[in-house]
Amino acid sequence: MKKMSVSSDKSSTCGQIIPILQKLKTHLTIKEENSTFVATVKEKVWGELSKRYQEHDIMAFLEEATLMDPRFKGKLSTDEVWERLKAAELREMLGDEDTVPVEAQEVEEDEEYEGEEVENRHVVKKPRVSALEELLAEDDKELRRSLIQQEKTAPTILENIRNELLVYRGLRVLPIPTSEDPAHWWWRKKETFPILSRLSSTYLCVRASSTPSEIVFSTAGNTLSKERSRLLPEKVNMLIFLNKNC
């Protein structure tokens, strides 16, 4: 059952691993009414399952993927995982090379010119002003002041991320039933969660099982047989693509 659930190639599966393990752990917990045989089977099965996904980086990714799957985000309530997700959003928006805290970033006009050498300033020619621009110069200046003020008071990227996470985390435990596609849910919510919906594809595109890719290899082997060994690579790629997408 677990293998069938995580082997789909038409739906998101990575966020299912932890909820499935949690449910299996509950079912495989030894109870007083269990016979010796049942207790032994449960112990053996859970002993094997509990050894999976023990690598720290893999488990961290699975935890974040669980939060990004709206069907199962209520399965984890650890603040530390939500903080990791916030950091992942920040990297998605700014890139790994950005190390300056978002709160410290300010938009300041004309500072780039303060360090210029005086002798070079006379080279810069002022653009010619039309009669209309000259007449409405004060209005244009007031408009520029208003735009600068809006930029300074606008929410920072980090504030937007915090707000989105706060709203998403506050949704009821099951925003959608288990049968619904989480990728489609994020597509519908891209206006409400523009940053989170963009990040969701990073997690939802990961397959929990290698079965889909192994099926592609099998398809390639069936397509390029001894009898069809003279097929061009481009045609083989097209045949495999059509086989998996039509």
Side-chain angles (χ1 to χ4, degrees), residues 34-46:
N34 292 147
S35 63
T36 304
F37 174 75
V38 172
T40 302
V41 171
K42 285 185 174 182
E43 182 180 5
K44 291 291 185 181
V45 172
W46 181 246

Side-chain angles (χ1 to χ4, degrees), residues 216-234:
V216 174
F217 293 145
S218 299
T219 303
N222 295 331
T223 303
L224 190 61
S225 60
K226 292 181 179 180
E227 292 77 12
R228 310 175 75 187
S229 60
R230 300 192 63 173
L231 283 173
L232 295 176
E234 295 80 5

